[in-house]
Amino acid sequence: MDIRSQSLSASTFQSSATPELTVELTKYLHQQLTPIASDSLTIEVAEDNHKQLVYGHSPSAINQPICSFPIMYQRRQVGALNLFRRQVIKSLSQEHLHQISKAVAFLIQRNSTHHRCDKQLGRTLPLIGFSDAIFQLDSQIERAASARYPVIVQGESGCEKLNVACAVHFNDPSRQGAFIELDCQLFQNDVASFLSRFQDSVRRARAGSLLLSHIDQLPYSAQLQLADMMTDCSDDHDACGLRDVRVMVSTSQSLSQLTRDGRFSAALFTRLDFLTLVVPPLRDRPNDLAEIIERMIEQHKLFDDQYVEPIAKHFLCKYQWPGNYSELEKTLVQLLTFSKQNPVSIDDLNALTPHILGAPTPTEPSSFQSNQHRKLELQLQCVQLLHREDYEAFAHLHPGLAKALKYIGEQWQQDLSLTNVASNAFVSPSHLSYLFKKNLERSFKQILTELRIEKAKSKIEANPHIRITDLCLDVGFGDLSHFEKVFRRYTNETPREYKKRFHL
């Protein structure tokens, strides 16, 4: 189906675009493009002989695109990226457009895999993030899924190896059968039971995929018999029925190194060593951590408005996570379950997971750490404190800075400058600028702008029908385009998109 040759119409447009996909596309595109560029494109996905708009304006509100860039996956067009402004087209190189369309293809396929996993396996096993490392893994999955050869999924303990294997299975164009997992570490002392379960799993995975997880934990004697069975299947009679099954294995160690060390069967390795996918550890994906944490909180929170405060989230993002995805998930489950308050705070981390803070014990935090945590907490929550008019929280600061913050909190709608704020705080502008940077690591202008955006969000929540032009003036912005640009920078949404959240 060539999406580029068809225009949207009422008969082909479907309004039930997957919300999760639209959110992911919005986050990614707002990172990659200017507000003008991201506002002047749409993304369509081909599904069931229809085109589904998953990003951009409603078809009734736009003209025909000037050009469309195909979104390709496994040499098949799965959608189109439509551009509507000539100046935007001129500003984007073909290489950049190809990079964006490829990343969008990966996000579309991740969303599809996510829903198939949930439907067929009863669990969600997503790959999350927009880092180069995770997109490179997406690219390897795309290619491996197209080939019917054994796949080795290698990664440190706790990495998303099962998620990757599922992605390979569900992105196989010829997939028909089930995805079956057989955990080899459950049979370390019972080779006969393993072989019996293996044969049963092969039967259940006919025309599908069989994952032998933790293959590096399988006893050597079982490895030899498994190699023999796979060898038999290469004959015409296909004794064990593996010919119609894609075999995948997962391992926390390099099978080639284990084979060289004599700890893994060379015969079995020869049968498996076709395609290897390496899952990057979380320490190599620091830019993905915030998004992964948000998704985990959404999945495991105990009630709708439970969340983790910014200071605590900061430390979760800075931790190295030697146990990777599994350790992070278990930690968040523990924090969300045993926290005595909402939001989950720095005190909960100190009590339940002190190693993340670097604290010696839950009952012996150093005064230095306490002061550092307090300072970082103030930096992260300064704007929220101003928004709530909680000026007492600034009482411990330099008197001039405390006065300046209170003045900003009371006069935020006015045309403020560093000079008049400093005058009302009885300090020089240069010294006040120094105090802002030293204590809050932000300039006066940044704090004022962030406060105005928070006020704008509150006004929208209180009155979703407020006109954007009125809102712009109400919160102290004189230029509408500047307001929209700044609002998007801090929220990843335009004011209009934010308003839609609260329309009944």
Side-chain angles (χ1 to χ4, degrees):
M1 170 177 162
D2 187 358
I3 292 183
R4 290 172 293 178
S5 65
Q6 300 186 30
S7 60
L8 283 169
S9 66
S11 61
T12 59
F13 175 68
Q14 296 191 8
S15 61
S16 58
T18 309
E20 298 92 338
L21 176 57
T22 300
V23 169
E24 290 301 293
L25 290 172
T26 301
K27 290 178 181 177
Y28 171 71
L29 292 170
H30 287 186
Q31 287 182 14
Q32 294 293 313
L33 300 171
T34 65
I36 292 176
S38 55
D39 268 348
S40 61
L41 63 85
T42 64
I43 293 174
E44 299 169 302
V45 174
E47 184 175 331
D48 300 329
N49 295 321
H50 290 278
K51 291 187 298 182
Q52 188 176 17
L53 187 70
V54 293
Y55 177 85
H57 298 287
S58 167
S60 59
I62 59 176
N63 299 316
Q64 291 298 312
I66 296 172
C67 73
S68 294
F69 203 84
I71 300 170
M72 307 294 293
Y73 193 84
Q74 294 175 337
R75 300 184 179 182
R76 178 176 61 89
Q77 187 170 354
V78 297
L81 190 154
N82 304 312
L83 298 167
F84 293 84
R85 292 189 181 180
R86 293 190 186 280
Q87 62 267 38
V88 170
I89 297 170
K90 292 178 181 178
S91 69
L92 298 173
S93 66
Q94 287 290 308
E95 182 181 356
H96 194 193
L97 280 171
H98 176 75
Q99 174 191 339
I100 290 173
S101 70
K102 196 68 225 181
V104 168
F106 294 147
L107 295 176
I108 290 170
Q109 294 306 119
R110 282 191 207 169
N111 183 72
S112 175
T113 299
H114 168 83
H115 287 283
R116 288 192 176 103
C117 268
D118 192 28
K119 181 178 180 180
Q120 298 185 28
L121 305 181
R123 57 197 301 192
T124 55
L125 298 165
L127 294 174
I128 302 169
F130 312 125
S131 65
D132 290 342
I134 199 67
F135 278 142
Q136 182 177 355
L137 180 60
D138 279 313
S139 178
Q140 294 174 337
I141 290 170
E142 176 187 12
R143 300 182 183 194
S146 301
R148 296 292 297 179
Y149 292 101
V151 175
I152 298 173
V153 183
Q154 179 182 323
E156 294 179 5
S157 177
C159 283
E160 306 100 299
K161 296 187 284 291
L162 177 59
N163 308 42
V164 170
C166 282
V168 172
H169 170 74
F170 286 111
N171 285 295
D172 183 346
S174 62
R175 66 178 179 274
Q176 296 177 351
F179 176 86
I180 303 298
E181 180 190 10
L182 180 59
D183 191 346
C184 297
Q185 67 180 349
L186 300 178
F187 303 95
Q188 294 186 21
N189 301 311
D190 193 347
V191 174
S193 293
F194 167 76
L195 295 174
S196 175
R197 287 284 299 276
F198 174 76
Q199 291 175 326
D200 178 63
S201 297
V202 168
R203 178 185 58 78
R204 294 166 57 208
R206 188 66 55 87
S209 303
L210 171 59
L211 172 66
L212 302 176
S213 58
H214 304 100
I215 189 76
D216 49 331
Q217 302 297 317
L218 190 65
Y220 194 86
S221 58
Q223 294 175 23
L224 294 175
Q225 295 190 56
L226 181 57
D228 289 341
M229 295 175 71
M230 295 185 70
T231 301
D232 289 342
C233 290
S234 65
D235 298 337
D236 290 339
H237 59 278
D238 190 20
C240 61
L242 269 175
R243 185 170 299 166
D244 294 330
V245 176
R246 179 203 288 275
V247 175
M248 292 186 277
V249 301
S250 70
T251 174
S252 297
Q253 304 177 74
S254 167
L255 295 186
S256 60
Q257 186 61 51
L258 291 177
T259 302
R260 287 192 293 270
D261 295 343
R263 294 186 290 147
F264 195 84
S265 164
L268 180 56
F269 182 63
T270 299
R271 288 291 170 192
L272 298 173
D273 186 26
F274 286 85
L275 306 171
T276 299
L277 306 182
V278 179
V279 186
L282 287 187
R283 65 176 176 276
D284 292 344
R285 300 163 51 196
N287 293 336
D288 291 338
L289 270 173
E291 182 67 19
I292 293 172
I293 289 169
E294 280 299 322
R295 293 277 286 273
M296 286 184 176
I297 292 171
E298 190 64 27
Q299 180 181 357
H300 297 296
K301 63 185 180 182
L302 301 185
F303 45 91
D304 286 343
D305 60 349
Q306 188 177 29
Y307 68 102
V308 177
E309 69 177 6
I311 177 68
K313 195 179 296 181
H314 170 84
F315 279 99
L316 292 170
C317 288
K318 291 297 182 183
Y319 188 61
Q320 289 291 296
W321 300 108
N324 293 294
Y325 192 90
S326 295
E327 181 188 5
L328 173 57
E329 185 170 36
K330 291 174 183 176
T331 298
L332 281 170
V333 168
Q334 185 179 8
L335 289 169
L336 292 168
T337 303
F338 294 121
S339 172
K340 297 179 180 179
Q341 58 192 346
N342 187 43
V344 175
S345 70
I346 194 72
D347 294 332
D348 295 308
L349 264 68
N350 196 49
L352 299 169
T353 55
H355 60 285
I356 291 175
L357 303 176
T361 69
T363 56
E364 300 174 348
S366 68
S367 59
F368 172 76
Q369 286 171 328
S370 178
N371 290 335
Q372 288 296 100
H373 296 167
R374 185 182 185 185
K375 181 178 179 180
L376 184 55
E377 183 172 14
L378 180 61
Q379 291 170 3
L380 293 170
Q381 297 187 346
C382 171
V383 174
Q384 291 297 329
L385 294 170
L386 286 173
H387 183 47
R388 297 196 301 264
E389 301 181 1
D390 184 4
Y391 306 125
E392 289 297 321
F394 307 128
H396 67 285
L397 296 175
H398 184 284
L401 180 58
K403 287 188 177 75
L405 288 168
K406 183 177 180 181
Y407 185 74
I408 292 171
E410 293 173 342
Q411 305 294 326
W412 58 270
Q413 289 174 295
Q414 306 304 315
D415 184 16
L416 299 181
S417 68
L418 181 62
T419 300
N420 60 34
V421 172
S423 175
N424 281 274
F426 306 107
V427 294
S428 69
S430 60
H431 186 52
L432 181 59
S433 178
Y434 165 77
L435 291 173
F436 272 109
K437 288 290 187 182
K438 178 184 177 183
N439 292 274
L440 303 174
E441 293 190 354
R442 276 174 288 183
S443 68
F444 142 76
K445 202 68 176 178
Q446 285 176 295
I447 288 175
L448 176 60
T449 300
E450 290 179 41
L451 176 59
R452 286 173 170 172
I453 295 302
E454 285 300 314
K455 296 293 186 181
K457 288 163 60 179
S458 293
K459 285 178 177 290
I460 290 174
E461 292 164 17
N463 179 17
H465 300 290
I466 188 172
R467 293 175 54 182
I468 300 301
T469 51
D470 294 338
L471 176 66
C472 171
L473 296 174
D474 285 350
V475 296
F477 286 89
D479 182 77
L480 178 60
S481 62
H482 178 62
F483 168 62
E484 292 180 325
K485 181 179 179 180
V486 172
F487 192 96
R488 167 169 280 182
R489 182 190 307 158
Y490 287 103
T491 66
N492 284 327
E493 293 179 285
T494 66
R496 289 174 179 80
E497 289 169 342
Y498 193 79
K499 282 176 62 176
K500 289 179 181 177
R501 294 189 189 183
F502 306 98
H503 281 296
L504 297 178

